[in-house]
Amino acid sequence: MRFAIALAVGLALLTWGATVIVQKTTRAWFENDLGVRAQLAVNGAREALIASWDQTGADKLQTVLDELARDEHIKAVAVCSADGRPLARTAGYGGRHLSCAEVGARVRLGPEAQDSPGAGAWNGIERVSGANVYVSAVPVFDGDRPLGFLVLVHDLSFIESRETKARQFVMLAFGFLAAAAALVTLIASRLSWKSWSNEIRRLLRVGGQDPDFQPILRDVSELVDRIVAERESDNGGGAWTAQRLKTTLNRYLRGEKIIVVANREPYMHQHRPDGSIGVVHPASGLVTALEPIVRACSGVWVAHGGGTADRETVDAHGRVRVPPGEESYSIRRVWLSPEEEQGYYYGFANEGLWPLCHLAHARPIFRSGDYQHYRAVNHKFADAVLREVDLDDPIVLVQDYHFALAPQLIRERLPRATVTMFWHIPWPNAEHFGICPWREELLEGMLGASILGFHTQAHCNNFLDSVDRYLEARIDRDQNAVIQHGRATLVRPYPISLEWPARWTQSAPPVEQCRAEVFAELGLRSDALLGVGVDRLDYTKGIEERLLAVERLLERFPRLRGRFVFAQLAAPSRTAIVRYQQLNDVIEELAARVNQRYGRGSYKPIVLLREHHEPPNVFRYYRAADLCYVSSLHDGMNLVAKEFVAARDDEQGVLVLSQFTGAARELTEALIVNPYDLDEASSALASAVSMTREEQRERMRAMRAFIAEFNVYRWAGRMLVDAGRVRRKDRLSSRVARAAGAAE
Ligand code: F6P
């Protein structure tokens, strides 16, 4: 369909272009003709004109002019003297710019006018009585003596009607030819596509009589049908939505249930102080992105049961249906002992891999005891997956650095599984990665996946370089794939995003109400300027640098003292790790110092809100703020930046964004800064608070349009479509192998 529209538009443009060219050319020819005709008319009447030129011959002169005006295409004629006086004219001669004086100014009567026929003449188009006329003024010489000039006014209407006819003819001819060409092309492509698929179907029918080939032929036949269906649906895909994702899953993966493996669960059950049980949404970019996908696809989410009331809310198999009230999928909780949690989660994952992958100046700590736990927990999760599957080739989506070994462990036990792995954090360069004592084992583990996703191409490249340096494997740089043990792992960038429209924006109060509530809660004066930061309390987020930038802002711009307030929402995170405890102390001291330095009375420039905030409250702050500052020192994507944009359906508010986030490559209308450069960051904060509403709207609108299109359904859809393709290929080759084995 799209091809047909493009073809029609192309043909219309071609026809229009041809018409314009033909019209211009014929008009030039006609005008040239008129000029020549005028010259011929003067040549023919020259003798009579010269003989009757003086006053005594005025009647004769009039007769000559009347004679000339008999030509059906000449409307009027006049004769003017060399000094611009009218000598005679036919009835109907006139017009604003046709007086002898005006025309005389354009005609040349010098010696050069005799160089060649028509040399001193002037030709042009004038408007007389509402119609265009073509005027030729031709000099008349008696020997070398210039007598004056003859003005012929040609009727143009006949040219215009000829032109219209020529135009219509060209349009018809071109339109006909173009339509015929398009039709022939379309029919040819349909026929060749149809004959190709019919030919395969025919071969399948013939080969289908041999029972040995039937399983393979069934697959090929399905494949042909699917390719036909894909071709048709790809043309009308449109925007990615939950519904489109479901349809895509049905088409590519036959609606088979997907199993997500992620350390963090999307809903945690926690005991409240009053003894009741509440549900908490953890602060996690991974959860934010993945939860709408699993909701749309009704799968199973295998996660660590880390909530204080998690064990009380599951069935005998460790499962609980969520979301509360909607119950569209299951969480399968995996229980970890305190030692396992310490070694696997706090130890190897968060003191080892986390600082290894982030360039944020924290030294990775590798303890072999932690790694033993990491390995054991990866086994435990792979076992849990095995208990959830109902096919020998399930679709498993492994998430993040907690499970580098799981893809291979799953593949060992389910060789035909379609395993994708998404790495939510950056991947360092090969040299840096090389400091990990278990680098080879981690890489081998990840290569158990069929598809390995990162946020950016740079992270993919770093991964491929690491494989190149530390493993015996073939890298196919054209395909971005690693080939090992006869299997390929595709390595692809899939930049993660948010559901669109964001659930929490839709349920949020109006922006004015959010602003009024937040201002009242923080005790801000009505003309205050509010900045927000929303993060887990993590050293990679650049929270120290952010508060230092606020301090610098107040130092450099005294007018903002007493007015600018920065509210930092910080969810405590990984608090058992010393580095995180230190960060907490540093931030507290820093906020106290800035407040001490610039606070007055009840005014405090920095408000630290260090507790877990549920999404509705976070969105209230996003909607209340004048700016949001995301200052990560290194971040795979950073979904807070995208959430702020998603929250601002009023198209106001300014995003100040670190250049070291994946999001900075996409949200280019944010004010992009180097968070280490406090002068640059504070200037950006100052620009943000003084930005006009119009500019805010323009920037916000562009960023919203980007996220609306590149939403999380597209992220998952692209990855799952790729997984579906790999799956079909694998199914086909294993059938071929089995049939070949049976034939021997
Ligand atoms: O997005 C990166 C990430 O580490 C996720 O893997 C994780 O769920 C999230 O940040 C929060 O971290 P944690 O689960 O350790 O609280």
Side-chain angles (χ1 to χ4, degrees):
M1 188 60 191
R2 247 181 260 154
F3 172 71
I5 294 174
L7 196 65
V9 172
L11 292 175
L13 283 174
L14 193 70
T15 310
W16 174 79
T19 315
V20 169
I21 292 170
V22 168
Q23 187 176 345
K24 286 207 157 148
T25 314
T26 49
R27 165 65 66 131
W29 285 345
F30 285 138
E31 288 180 7
N32 194 40
D33 263 11
L34 290 177
V36 172
R37 283 169 67 119
Q39 189 64 47
L40 288 175
V42 172
N43 290 350
R46 184 181 309 278
E47 292 307 317
L49 281 170
I50 293 171
S52 53
W53 197 268
D54 58 19
Q55 288 298 329
T56 54
D59 284 350
K60 269 171 93 184
L61 193 55
Q62 187 63 48
T63 313
V64 176
L65 296 194
D66 290 342
E67 199 59 35
L68 283 172
R70 274 207 199 158
D71 186 312
E72 60 171 321
H73 299 312
I74 294 180
K75 282 181 102 163
V77 188
V79 167
C80 307
S81 65
D83 57 0
R85 279 179 300 103
L87 299 180
R89 62 182 184 187
T90 59
Y93 184 90
R96 226 155 44 98
H97 301 295
L98 294 185
S99 67
C100 284
E102 276 190 76
V103 178
R106 297 165 185 166
V107 180
R108 281 174 295 134
L109 296 173
E112 77 281 2
Q114 288 185 291
D115 287 352
S116 59
W122 171 78
N123 296 294
I125 293 181
E126 290 293 336
R127 201 145 177 88
V128 174
S129 314
N132 286 339
V133 292
Y134 188 82
V135 181
S136 298
V138 184
V140 180
F141 285 85
D142 181 10
D144 286 339
R145 183 169 67 96
L147 294 179
F149 52 93
L150 183 76
V151 187
L152 292 138
V153 178
H154 300 269
D155 183 6
L156 262 187
S157 62
F158 82 101
I159 291 185
E160 278 162 1
S161 91
R162 276 186 203 172
E163 269 177 6
T164 309
K165 279 188 192 142
R167 192 168 51 236
Q168 284 167 348
F169 174 76
V170 170
M171 278 177 76
L172 267 175
F174 254 85
F176 177 74
L177 280 177
L183 204 64
V184 169
T185 315
L186 271 178
I187 291 172
S189 82
R190 289 270 154 179
L191 282 181
S192 70
W193 168 253
K194 238 196 167 93
S195 69
W196 179 84
S197 49
N198 283 344
E199 184 60 15
I200 291 188
R201 286 196 179 102
R202 192 185 64 75
L203 287 173
L204 296 178
R205 271 199 302 278
V206 175
Q209 283 145 22
D210 182 340
D212 284 347
F213 282 98
Q214 269 171 2
I216 305 176
L217 295 176
R218 197 178 52 239
D219 274 352
V220 177
S221 170
E222 277 173 21
L223 188 62
V224 172
D225 289 342
R226 274 162 185 260
I227 295 174
V228 174
E230 277 163 28
R231 263 178 65 101
E232 279 155 13
S233 70
D234 278 355
N235 289 339
W240 277 96
T241 58
Q243 187 49 47
R244 181 171 170 201
L245 181 64
K246 274 188 212 167
T247 316
T248 305
L249 279 186
N250 281 332
R251 187 176 334 116
Y252 287 84
L253 302 172
R254 303 211 159 157
E256 286 156 13
K257 113 178 151 184
I258 57 170
I259 300 174
V260 169
V261 180
N263 172 70
R264 188 59 69 193
E265 54 185 340
Y267 298 92
M268 288 170 97
H269 287 94
Q270 296 279 38
H271 286 297
R272 294 199 187 103
D274 64 1
S276 63
I277 293 177
V279 177
V280 170
H281 299 83
S284 155
L286 178 157
V287 168
T288 306
L290 220 61
E291 205 274 336
I293 303 301
V294 190
R295 231 183 316 132
C297 305
S298 320
V300 180
W301 185 309
V302 181
H304 169 214
T308 52
D310 273 357
R311 285 180 194 260
E312 293 160 51
T313 43
V314 292
D315 65 13
H317 304 285
R319 294 194 195 110
V320 57
R321 299 283 295 163
V322 289
E326 264 179 60
E327 282 85 27
S328 56
Y329 68 95
S330 299
I331 298 178
R332 163 64 193 260
R333 286 178 173 149
V334 175
W335 313 115
L336 300 181
S337 67
E339 296 73 33
E340 282 174 329
E341 190 178 357
Q342 178 56 45
Y344 140 81
Y345 173 76
Y346 289 110
F348 189 70
N350 285 316
E351 286 191 286
L353 290 180
W354 180 266
L356 178 74
C357 292
H358 289 92
L359 307 178
H361 321 292
R363 180 186 288 229
I365 301 172
F366 295 115
R367 305 179 194 96
S368 57
D370 288 347
Y371 188 62
Q372 299 316 323
H373 282 301
Y374 184 84
R375 199 187 273 144
V377 170
N378 270 249
H379 271 280
K380 208 170 192 173
F381 272 78
D383 290 345
V385 169
L386 245 72
R387 281 195 286 278
E388 290 302 320
V389 300
D390 45 16
L391 294 169
D392 68 343
D393 59 351
I395 300 151
V396 188
L397 313 184
V398 179
Q399 306 298 312
D400 231 351
Y401 62 100
H402 308 90
F403 298 115
L405 305 178
Q408 195 188 35
L409 296 174
I410 295 169
R411 179 151 320 278
E412 276 166 11
R413 281 176 272 173
L414 294 167
R416 298 183 50 241
T418 302
V419 183
T420 73
M421 174 168 214
F422 192 79
W423 196 263
H424 289 256
I425 61 176
W427 188 272
N429 68 40
E431 200 172 348
H432 194 72
F433 176 71
I435 66 176
C436 175
W438 301 282
R439 62 195 184 195
E440 287 88 0
E441 200 179 330
L442 292 175
L443 293 172
E444 295 272 7
M446 293 170 77
L447 291 175
S450 321
I451 295 183
L452 196 47
F454 294 91
H455 290 298
T456 66
Q457 185 62 49
H459 298 157
C460 294
N461 295 345
N462 284 349
F463 178 81
L464 291 173
D465 290 347
S466 306
V467 171
D468 204 15
R469 189 168 310 186
Y470 303 115
L471 291 187
E472 289 291 324
R474 186 164 73 78
I475 314 268
D476 181 339
R477 296 269 174 190
D478 287 339
Q479 297 290 323
N480 264 354
V482 179
I483 293 103
Q484 207 196 20
H485 314 309
R487 268 193 53 256
T489 300
L490 302 182
V491 181
R492 296 267 189 283
Y494 300 101
I496 208 164
S497 195
L498 298 178
E499 66 179 326
W500 192 273
R503 167 156 63 129
W504 303 112
T505 306
Q506 286 178 308
S507 56
V511 166
E512 303 71 41
Q513 187 184 331
C514 292
R515 193 164 168 93
E517 282 175 12
V518 168
F519 270 45
E521 280 162 28
L522 300 180
L524 307 184
R525 54 191 237 203
S526 59
D527 68 341
L529 298 164
L530 177 64
V532 294
V534 177
D535 307 84
R536 282 181 308 103
L537 204 42
D538 192 297
Y539 54 86
T540 61
K541 303 295 177 188
I543 304 173
E544 280 177 72
E545 287 71 10
R546 192 178 308 168
L547 301 188
L548 288 170
V550 171
E551 182 178 40
R552 187 87 183 98
L553 174 80
L554 298 175
E555 211 168 77
R556 292 176 63 201
F557 303 94
R559 67 187 155 83
L560 294 175
R561 295 177 197 163
R563 231 186 130 194
F564 183 80
V565 174
F566 193 84
Q568 176 63 50
L569 279 64
S573 179
R574 305 171 191 171
T575 44
I577 298 175
V578 174
R579 181 72 179 79
Y580 286 77
Q581 294 160 7
Q582 288 168 346
L583 175 75
N584 185 44
D585 296 344
V586 168
I587 293 214
E588 191 169 281
E589 280 164 25
L590 196 52
R593 189 185 82 200
V594 178
N595 285 342
Q596 168 79 31
R597 201 168 155 198
Y598 293 109
R600 295 279 175 278
S602 65
Y603 168 69
K604 282 200 183 76
I606 292 178
V607 181
L608 274 189
L609 299 164
R610 274 172 306 164
E611 66 220 326
H612 174 76
H613 297 269
E614 280 291 290
N617 194 36
V618 173
F619 272 68
R620 235 163 34 99
Y621 271 82
Y622 286 143
R623 285 162 78 77
D626 294 287
L627 67 89
C628 175
Y629 183 21
V630 172
S631 55
S632 302
L633 305 181
H634 198 193
D635 219 329
M637 174 55 68
N638 192 290
L639 288 182
V640 165
K642 291 189 176 179
E643 277 183 342
F644 175 64
V645 173
R648 299 313 296 257
D649 52 5
D650 62 334
E651 299 178 337
Q652 292 298 297
V654 182
L655 176 63
V656 182
L657 180 59
S658 159
Q659 67 187 81
F660 305 120
T661 59
R665 290 159 196 259
E666 300 186 340
L667 304 180
T668 47
E669 290 78 12
L671 301 183
I672 308 287
V673 297
N674 173 353
Y676 293 98
D677 183 342
L678 299 183
D679 283 340
E680 185 187 60
S682 56
S683 296
L685 294 175
S687 308
V689 292
S690 57
M691 190 180 285
T692 63
R693 291 178 69 79
E694 197 39 52
E695 188 175 346
Q696 292 183 41
R697 180 166 297 114
E698 262 178 45
R699 289 173 183 266
M700 195 49 91
R701 197 174 277 175
M703 292 191 284
R704 287 176 63 79
F706 182 90
I707 302 176
E709 184 171 350
F710 293 85
N711 60 33
V712 80
Y713 299 114
R714 184 178 188 276
W715 172 78
R718 282 184 56 236
M719 207 154 42
L720 290 170
V721 165
D722 288 350
R725 290 196 179 121
V726 170
R727 184 177 178 77
R728 279 205 298 271
K729 228 171 97 201
D730 289 352
R731 276 186 167 176
L732 205 56
S733 30
S734 65
R735 290 257 165 86
V736 171
R738 262 187 273 160
E744 275 173 14

